[in-house]
Amino acid sequence: MSAAAAVVVTALGAVGLVSCDTGNDDTGAPALSPRPTAPDTAGFSGEPPSALASSAAEAVESARASASSAAASASAREASRKASIGTEVERSRQAAEDALKGVEGRGNALGEVAMTGKPRADTAGFLTVLLTITNKTDAEASYAAQVDFLDSSGKVVETQFAGAEDLEPGERAQPLVISRQPTEPVLTAKLVKAQRY
């Protein structure tokens, strides 16, 4: 038998098998399975997410949670840093005030402390001065300074202290002194004492 004839016989045999009846049905109609019922869509809120969309949503949510956690952590670190700076500024201020107790006259370091005003536009309107303390000696030294804030009549309205500790020879420090008084009336800052100790 030729190859072509073998293909035709095989195809006819397959057709015969597909169209065969089991003989158990009296009607002669092919047996059908019952029609599947449609799903109840009342509880659907839209297209159910694919596995990929669900994974992407979980990744986005995880990234948001991580970013939120990182932001909270950074905020806590910044608050801690500010509290630490505030504590150090207050400790330094108190050390300067203590060092000036009992100092007669204007102190021994007026020539080593200079004072420059800061523009009010840069300090939210508050009177702020920058002290420049330079150790002009040949030994390590600490410094304390007193700044008075005066009203237009020359009356002292507020006194602030600042300083620098353990400056090496030639080393310079620049602490800020900020008035806590309201922006009005306008006050004037005056360097009253400077002591090297």
Side-chain angles (χ1 to χ4, degrees), residues 59-147:
V60 167
E61 188 56 38
S62 176
R64 281 186 184 145
S66 293
S68 177
S69 176
S73 178
S75 179
R77 283 193 307 272
E78 180 63 11
S80 175
R81 185 186 72 81
K82 285 182 178 178
S84 176
I85 289 171
T87 300
E88 178 56 26
V89 167
E90 178 55 28
R91 189 203 61 74
S92 179
R93 188 204 68 74
Q94 188 62 54
E97 183 177 359
D98 291 345
L100 289 171
K101 287 180 181 169
V103 172
E104 297 293 327
R106 300 196 66 199
N108 62 7
L110 276 180
E112 296 171 69
V113 180
M115 185 176 73
T116 308
K118 300 281 285 176
R120 286 181 186 257
D122 295 344
T123 61
F126 290 100
L127 180 56
T128 304
V129 294
L130 175 72
L131 297 181
T132 300
I133 302 170
T134 306
N135 182 354
K136 296 180 180 178
T137 71
D138 58 1
E140 182 183 277
S142 296
Y143 293 83
Q146 176 182 331
V147 177

